[in-house]
């Protein structure tokens, strides 16, 4: 069985693909390194049973993922990690916090999400706040990962 892996390297100690490849090889899988940025990515994936790709949720990677994943999963029948049903919250702390809140999964008392209210900054709509240190606030736009300094936020 062949598993395709798009290499990731987001800095020292922040690469999943080498670990995936090692674990899969030890388990008897064949690894095929692919590049999702190349025009022939569909040809690269032919004959594979899976695709592992830790992609970002902004910029070029988000655009590629939104177009490639549905075709690979639905039309080619290739299992993808993370797949579309889980990618919406994969590596997105705001989406994960919302999911935890809706599912009533306990979280540390010093972490929470509160609406900014009527004051929006560059499309930001949530604040992740450390309640034990009320001076620290960070606004994030989950689609662009743009952050804003606390000076741009309304005061609570």
């Amino acid at each position: 069985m062949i598993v395709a892996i798009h290499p990731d390297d987001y800095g020292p100690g922040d690469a999943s693909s080498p670990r995936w490849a090692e674990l899969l090889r030890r388990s008897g899988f064949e690894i095929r390194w692919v590049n999702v940025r190349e025009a022939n990515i569909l040809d690269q994936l032919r004959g594979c049973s899976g695709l592992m790709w830790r992609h970002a949720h902004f910029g070029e990677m988000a655009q590629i993922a939104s177009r490639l994943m549905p075709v690979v999963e639905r039309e080619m029948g290739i299992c993808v990690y993370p797949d579309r049903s889980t990618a919406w919250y994969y590596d997105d702390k705001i989406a994960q916090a919302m999911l935890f809140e809706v599912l009533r999964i306990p979280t540390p008392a010093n972490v929470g999400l509160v609406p900014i209210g009527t004051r929006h900054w560059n499309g930001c709509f949530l604040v992740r706040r450390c309640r034990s240190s009320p001076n620290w606030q960070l606004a994030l736009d989950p689609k662009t990962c743009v952050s804003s300094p606390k000076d741009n936020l309304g005061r609570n």
Side-chain angles (χ1 to χ4, degrees):
M1 189 175 291
I2 303 169
V3 176
I5 299 177
H6 175 85
D8 66 330
D9 186 4
Y10 298 109
D14 190 13
S16 298
S17 57
R19 291 180 226 143
W20 293 341
E22 179 185 334
L23 291 169
L24 288 165
R25 279 192 188 110
R26 276 197 261 159
S27 298
F29 292 90
E30 181 181 336
I31 302 303
R32 179 182 299 167
W33 294 100
V34 298
N35 187 341
V36 299
R37 292 182 178 99
E38 293 181 356
N40 70 343
I41 183 57
L42 299 177
D43 289 332
Q44 293 178 53
L45 293 172
R46 292 194 200 290
C48 294
S49 298
L51 167 63
M52 299 184 78
W53 172 29
R54 188 178 75 147
H55 58 83
H57 297 283
F58 53 90
E60 173 194 34
M61 287 297 202
Q63 291 177 7
I64 294 169
S66 69
R67 289 164 177 86
L68 180 63
M69 289 173 63
V71 173
V72 172
E73 287 182 54
R74 188 176 54 227
E75 307 307 325
M76 296 181 79
I78 296 174
C79 296
V80 177
Y81 173 81
D83 63 6
R84 288 183 303 143
S85 66
T86 58
W88 70 271
Y89 64 82
Y90 167 76
D91 210 21
D92 182 335
K93 301 310 176 218
I94 292 174
Q96 292 168 2
M98 289 182 192
L99 183 62
F100 276 37
E101 184 176 324
V102 167
L103 296 176
R104 300 191 191 285
I105 297 172
T107 58
N110 67 336
V111 175
L113 294 173
V114 295
I116 290 175
T118 59
R119 189 151 184 208
H120 293 258
W121 181 85
N122 197 20
C124 297
F125 64 94
L126 291 174
V127 176
R128 184 169 186 235
R129 179 177 64 185
C130 179
R131 292 189 187 119
S132 63
S133 177
N135 295 326
W136 181 83
Q137 295 183 2
L138 177 65
L140 295 175
D141 181 323
K143 293 295 181 194
T144 63
C145 291
V146 172
S147 63
S148 135
K150 67 180 179 180
D151 296 341
N152 290 333
L153 301 175
R155 299 279 181 219
N156 289 344

